[in-house]
Amino acid sequence: MAHSTTNTATRGLTLLSLDSGRFENMTCLSQLFILRENIRTFEIDNDRVHDSVKVHEVFDLIVGTGSGGLVACLVGPLNMLVSEAIEAYIRIHTAVFIPDEKAVLPEERTRRLRKALRALIEEKLAPEHQVADFSDFTRVIPDCKIVITALPNVHVEAPIPFRSFRGRRVSPPPCTLLEAILCTLAHARLFTDVSLCEGSITQSFIAADLGKHQFH
């Protein structure tokens, strides 16, 4: 890893890529634990206070899909330390998946997920940022750029990148941070698909880990 204040022309760009894993089994937590150790090493090497460095201080771009997309949003737009992201991830998972519970419909899990995410976002963001377009989030945290993916329900071979910054290529309809997270997590076995509207056109999205992982 390289210090974010170092000129990118000399150190190159640093990319953090987060896989999906299985949200119901919390497998993505292992990536957070590895990331925590990497950040600790960075803090030691750069004489920084323990548990003080944000992920976007180290990486120029954070990319994730599925539960990896959730993690990207926790350490990106929600500006959490890795230790905070671990706690938040467990909190969300606990709210959605109740131990020893009988079969639960995707609609009920989606309701729980939406409620848990909304509560977290309301804690971390000012009201105007809670409803801001996801593609404008670099105005909130200029040094933090993330990309998460979801699939249009009608064309599951072409993942769409949800960027926290303006891009010139294909983009999803305008959406909030909450909606972007719901899209990247919308695995058919667990949650319902997510509908986004742009004018009179509505598109439905599902989790991108159901198909290929190639950005446009």
Side-chain angles (χ1 to χ4, degrees):
M1 295 183 186
H3 198 291
S4 61
T5 57
T6 304
N7 192 302
T8 57
T10 58
R11 69 170 172 80
L13 295 174
T14 53
L15 169 68
L16 174 63
S17 179
L18 298 160
D19 294 333
S20 177
R22 295 185 64 184
F23 187 43
E24 65 270 37
N25 293 338
M26 298 180 70
T27 53
C28 199
L29 267 180
S30 61
Q31 294 184 90
L32 275 168
F33 293 146
I34 294 170
L35 180 59
R36 180 177 61 185
E37 294 307 309
N38 288 337
I39 295 295
R40 284 178 177 172
T41 299
F42 177 88
E43 289 169 340
I44 293 171
D45 291 345
N46 291 274
D47 295 323
R48 298 288 294 273
V49 175
H50 173 67
D51 203 22
S52 66
V53 172
K54 302 289 180 69
V55 176
H56 63 79
E57 295 181 62
V58 179
F59 294 96
D60 298 297
L61 181 66
I62 305 169
V63 179
T65 190
S67 51
L70 168 61
V71 171
C73 289
L74 295 178
V75 300
L78 290 174
N79 202 26
M80 293 184 184
L81 295 163
V82 178
S83 58
E84 295 173 323
I86 291 172
E87 293 178 4
Y89 189 96
I90 294 172
R91 171 181 161 185
I92 293 168
H93 187 278
T94 302
V96 175
F97 299 99
I98 299 174
D100 302 321
E101 188 175 39
K102 300 292 184 179
V104 178
L105 293 175
E107 289 80 4
E108 171 59 19
R109 285 202 189 94
T110 302
R111 185 194 66 80
R112 295 175 186 176
L113 178 63
R114 184 182 293 271
K115 181 180 179 181
L117 288 171
R118 180 179 289 115
L120 185 65
I121 290 170
E122 289 175 350
E123 287 178 14
K124 294 294 183 179
L125 295 179
E128 63 269 24
H129 297 150
Q130 296 170 25
V131 297
D133 187 359
F134 183 67
S135 64
D136 280 336
F137 257 88
T138 47
R139 298 183 183 183
V140 182
I141 310 174
D143 294 332
C144 178
K145 292 185 176 182
I146 77 163
V147 180
I148 62 178
T149 62
L151 288 168
N153 213 353
V154 296
H155 188 32
V156 296
E157 292 298 313
I160 299 294
F162 288 64
R163 305 178 184 90
S164 66
F165 52 94
R166 295 290 181 178
R168 292 189 293 177
R169 295 190 176 183
V170 61
S171 298
C175 65
T176 63
L177 171 62
L178 172 60
E179 291 170 327
I181 298 174
L182 289 173
C183 285
T184 199
L185 285 174
H187 197 290
R189 293 187 302 103
L190 301 176
F191 305 108
T192 59
D193 57 4
V194 180
S195 295
L196 300 178
C197 299
E198 186 171 16
S200 60
I201 300 175
T202 299
Q203 294 186 57
S204 294
F205 290 88
I206 57 177
D209 56 341
L210 298 177
K212 297 177 181 178
H213 296 249
Q214 181 176 355
F215 300 148
H216 285 226

